[in-house]
Amino acid sequence: MAPIHIDEAAGSDDAGKGTSDAPYQSLAFAVYSHPEGPYLIRKDASGTYEEPTQSALKKAKKGADGIEKKRKKAEELAEREAKEKAEARERKEKKLEESKKIVLEEDTALPAAVKSKIGNLTPLRTKRIRTSGWVHRLRDQKELIFVILRDGTGYLQCILSGKVAQTYEARTLTLESTIEVVGMLKVVPEGQTAEGGHELIVDYWRVLGAAPGGDDAFTNKLNEKSDPSIQADLRHLVLRGETASAVLKLRAGLLSAFRQSLVSHDLLEVTPPCLVQTQVEGGATLFKLDYYGQPAFLTQSSQLYLETCLPSLGDVFCVQESFRAENSHTRRHLSEYTHLEAELAFITFDDLMDHIEAVICETVTALLQTPATAALVKQLNPDFVPPERPFLRLSYVDAIKWLNEHDIKHEAEDADGNVIKDEHGNPVMVPHAVGDDIAEAAERRMTDILARPVFLYGFPAELKAFYMKKMAKAPGVADGPTFTESCDLLMPGVGEIVGGSMRIADAEELLAAYKREGIDPAPYYWFTDQRKYGTCEHGGYGLGRFLAWLAKRYTVRECSLYPRWPGRATP
């Protein structure tokens, strides 16, 4: 018979087979597995296999007896546990069968229940109420069932006990089922906590729509560790989570606060079209479509239309969807996004930045002074500190100097815009120079170091849109770059949230801008007419990513109901 090998250093009692290639680790296990022997043992790979001594064999046999006792004990334990599980399953099945005989009926002798949304329950404490919602959380505790109910306006702790908790529906209740509950609303006992400070002692309830359990249960479809692509596919279910819903509720409050601030500054809300035949930010990012045989686009910005409103409606703003056909997968970009834009007449560049600063700060103040939205900000971004005024104003030229002083470089590019790499395949990093388009990474790093809101202004004309007003050059300065009365508002943690500028007011200058950019002025006749029939100094801005900054979201995708980015147009 082949000898059984044991290597006390490199062997394994779990994976070993007792061969020289796969030895056991202990002599006791070898004796237990192969009581007939013979055995060869060594201390480690540097030694040679030898027969064990009689004393070692005697000790190993005792060890083998111990292993056998453990095995028997484990078998007995497994049998006992299997028996207990079977008995528990039998008891559960028996209870389920018995529960089918229990029928709940609402007690008409009790006071009539007041129907209410969960968010409006506080004044109804000590009264019998009726409400409906989705089972958000569920806990079965002996003879009590605790249900956290959600209806979009809030969360309510419901307690089912006695007969109410013994029905078949109660014993088979699942997460995300919709139910109606009726009972007495009571203040939570001292020392305990619950959402809203009250709980419902249920005396009657019914299932309105049962959600599946088992393999198709909600938690098996989606959880916090689900892959991002699965979360995107199941966005309609993600929205039921506390964080996703809080972001969207804050978004609604944010839009309301912005509107209040803008109206207080005498701006009127208008609704420009999304189907257009002109470009604002360059043709490369336009979504093109056939519009009854004519070429048309989804709007990049409503700015041009807002300008046409100034002579008749005064200062205006819109909250409109904008579209960018930019194949970007960064956490800062979407193909469709909600764009807040405004246009103001008879202002200076300083007036424009003053206005943006005021609207931002007034909106934040309004949100923090409203209990509901203040609670959402606290939930999503506990360390949020409102921005202090005045915001820092930093010229583009000074920003270039600052970046170089702090050794913040950017990737070198060739004439075609391709990144230049060294012999190891790493991007070549070079200092910034006037004329460079400051990259997002450098911009964000600068803002995070400064740790305050920054108006970055005065960008070179070649980096900006055709309609932006040029800055006057210093007396006696003829050469050098031409800068624009343009600005980006940068916030720590997120970067740019506002882009604005003064607009060209002179008709001839605008026509020259069309020509320089290779734009046919014919389709823009209505925009050019703004300079022809009574021009004025005017400017405006577009705002986005504000919610990502306020709620400290890693990506703007979290801030949209159903985000759209390259390759994603569902659900």
Side-chain angles (χ1 to χ4, degrees):
M1 185 178 289
I4 307 302
H5 292 74
I6 301 101
D7 186 323
E8 294 181 331
S12 171
D13 289 344
D14 294 325
K17 297 179 180 178
T19 64
S20 58
D21 293 332
Y24 293 124
Q25 185 179 36
S26 68
L27 182 58
F29 190 81
V31 171
Y32 167 74
S33 302
H34 305 275
E36 69 283 356
Y39 311 103
L40 292 177
I41 187 169
R42 68 182 181 184
K43 291 289 183 184
D44 53 46
S46 63
T48 57
Y49 282 107
E50 297 177 355
E51 290 185 4
T53 63
Q54 287 300 314
S55 62
L57 272 174
K58 186 176 180 181
K59 184 178 180 182
K61 286 177 181 178
K62 287 184 178 179
D65 291 341
I67 293 173
E68 176 63 16
K69 287 178 182 178
K70 285 182 180 178
R71 184 191 66 77
K72 287 183 177 180
K73 188 174 182 180
E75 274 186 4
E76 291 171 359
L77 181 61
E79 287 176 5
R80 187 165 64 250
E81 287 179 349
K83 184 180 178 181
E84 289 173 353
K85 285 181 180 179
E87 291 173 349
R89 185 165 55 250
E90 189 177 333
R91 287 195 301 271
K92 184 178 180 181
E93 289 173 355
K94 186 178 178 181
K95 279 187 175 181
L96 274 178
E97 285 301 315
E98 291 174 350
S99 69
K100 292 178 180 178
K101 302 173 185 177
I102 301 173
V103 179
L104 276 187
E105 291 184 0
E106 188 170 355
D107 189 346
T108 56
L110 292 173
V114 180
K115 188 175 181 180
S116 174
K117 291 285 189 182
I118 292 175
N120 302 327
L121 285 177
T122 300
L124 299 176
R125 288 174 178 175
T126 72
K127 291 184 170 57
R128 191 164 178 263
I129 67 99
R130 181 189 306 272
T131 193
S132 302
W134 286 260
V135 177
H136 187 66
R137 284 196 292 274
L138 180 63
R139 180 162 53 95
D140 194 338
Q141 188 175 307
K142 292 184 179 179
E143 300 302 317
L144 296 176
I145 296 177
F146 292 87
V147 173
I148 303 298
L149 200 64
R150 178 191 76 242
D151 74 346
T153 69
Y155 299 89
L156 173 65
Q157 178 168 284
C158 308
I159 302 176
L160 284 63
S161 62
K163 183 179 177 182
V164 171
Q166 295 167 6
T167 64
Y168 181 78
E169 289 76 11
R171 298 193 185 280
T172 59
L173 188 60
T174 52
L175 289 176
E176 295 304 320
S177 294
T178 46
I179 62 174
E180 179 188 59
V181 289
V182 184
M184 190 66 68
L185 188 67
K186 294 186 176 182
V187 175
V188 175
E190 189 175 348
Q192 298 181 21
T193 59
E195 187 84 21
H198 45 238
E199 59 189 12
L200 187 68
I201 310 302
V202 178
D203 58 59
Y204 173 77
W205 73 284
R206 62 191 179 106
V207 175
L208 303 176
D215 292 341
D216 206 24
F218 186 86
T219 49
N220 288 334
K221 296 270 287 184
L222 182 74
N223 56 59
E224 291 179 354
K225 296 180 180 179
S226 295
D227 185 88
S229 63
I230 293 175
Q231 293 191 36
D233 288 338
L234 301 180
R235 177 67 177 171
H236 59 294
L237 300 181
V238 171
L239 296 177
R240 300 185 181 204
E242 292 175 24
T243 298
S245 59
V247 171
L248 294 176
K249 288 175 183 177
L250 181 57
R251 175 188 169 104
L254 176 62
L255 288 173
S256 177
F258 264 124
R259 285 186 165 102
Q260 290 175 17
S261 176
L262 291 164
V263 169
S264 74
H265 285 272
D266 299 316
L267 274 76
L268 182 74
E269 184 171 6
V270 294
T271 51
C274 283
L275 286 169
V276 301
Q277 291 185 306
T278 52
Q279 66 183 53
V280 181
E281 302 295 339
T285 62
L286 284 167
F287 280 108
K288 192 173 183 178
L289 60 127
D290 181 273
Y291 186 69
Y292 302 106
Q294 301 179 53
F297 314 102
L298 293 177
T299 184
Q300 299 166 313
S301 165
S302 298
Q303 176 215 314
L304 306 189
Y305 291 97
L306 292 182
E307 289 190 46
T308 68
C309 298
L310 296 177
S312 58
L313 303 176
D315 298 343
V316 290
F317 76 96
C318 71
V319 179
Q320 185 73 285
E321 296 302 289
S322 286
F323 304 83
R324 299 287 171 91
E326 186 176 2
N327 193 18
S328 174
H329 293 263
T330 75
R331 61 193 179 101
R332 300 175 69 249
H333 292 91
L334 290 171
S335 298
E336 175 189 358
Y337 61 98
T338 303
H339 205 178
L340 188 151
E341 297 181 87
E343 204 70 23
L344 300 92
F346 304 108
I347 60 169
T348 65
F349 188 34
D350 282 333
D351 292 337
L352 177 64
M353 288 188 284
D354 288 344
H355 166 86
I356 294 170
E357 182 176 314
V359 169
I360 295 290
C361 292
E362 289 167 9
T363 298
V364 170
T365 297
L367 289 169
L368 297 181
Q369 288 180 347
T370 304
T373 48
L376 291 169
V377 173
K378 183 72 174 175
Q379 174 187 340
L380 297 166
N381 188 2
D383 300 322
F384 178 76
V385 176
E388 293 184 4
R389 303 177 68 179
F391 294 172
L392 176 65
R393 298 187 182 186
L394 184 67
S395 75
Y396 166 86
V397 172
D398 287 340
I400 294 290
K401 292 178 183 176
W402 190 97
L403 290 168
N404 290 334
E405 287 170 357
H406 289 77
D407 198 32
I408 298 174
K409 298 180 179 181
H410 70 99
E411 295 177 346
E413 295 180 352
D414 60 23
D416 296 323
N418 301 311
V419 175
I420 300 172
K421 297 183 178 181
D422 61 22
E423 64 272 16
H424 303 294
N426 299 315
V428 174
M429 305 301 290
V430 296
H432 287 81
V434 172
D436 289 343
D437 190 358
I438 301 175
E440 173 207 336
E443 211 173 56
R444 288 185 60 184
R445 191 172 171 195
M446 177 180 71
T447 311
D448 289 345
I449 292 172
L450 292 171
R452 58 183 296 193
V454 180
F455 271 118
L456 188 57
Y457 72 90
F459 294 92
E462 59 268 21
L463 299 179
K464 289 297 180 180
F466 72 92
Y467 53 76
M468 293 189 179
K469 181 181 177 181
K470 312 294 186 295
M471 281 184 171
K473 291 193 174 184
V477 177
D479 298 326
T482 299
F483 299 100
T484 56
E485 291 191 351
S486 57
C487 64
D488 288 348
L489 177 58
L490 312 176
M491 287 293 189
V494 71
E496 179 194 347
I497 65 167
V498 178
S501 76
M502 295 298 290
R503 321 306 193 190
I504 292 174
D506 181 74
E508 293 303 317
E509 187 181 347
L510 181 61
L511 290 171
Y514 291 143
K515 185 175 181 180
R516 184 179 65 251
E517 297 294 326
I519 298 173
D520 180 5
Y524 293 83
Y525 70 93
W526 51 273
F527 182 65
T528 310
D529 276 354
Q530 295 305 115
R531 282 78 181 162
K532 182 178 179 180
Y533 295 99
T535 190
C536 72
E537 293 293 325
H538 63 287
Y541 58 92
L543 178 145
R545 306 190 189 98
F546 191 93
L547 183 57
W549 166 70
L550 180 67
K552 201 176 183 180
R553 298 298 92 190
Y554 176 74
T555 168
V556 292
R557 295 177 185 180
E558 296 181 61
C559 302
S560 178
L561 183 63
Y562 285 99
R564 298 292 185 249
W565 65 87
R568 170 62 60 179
T570 56

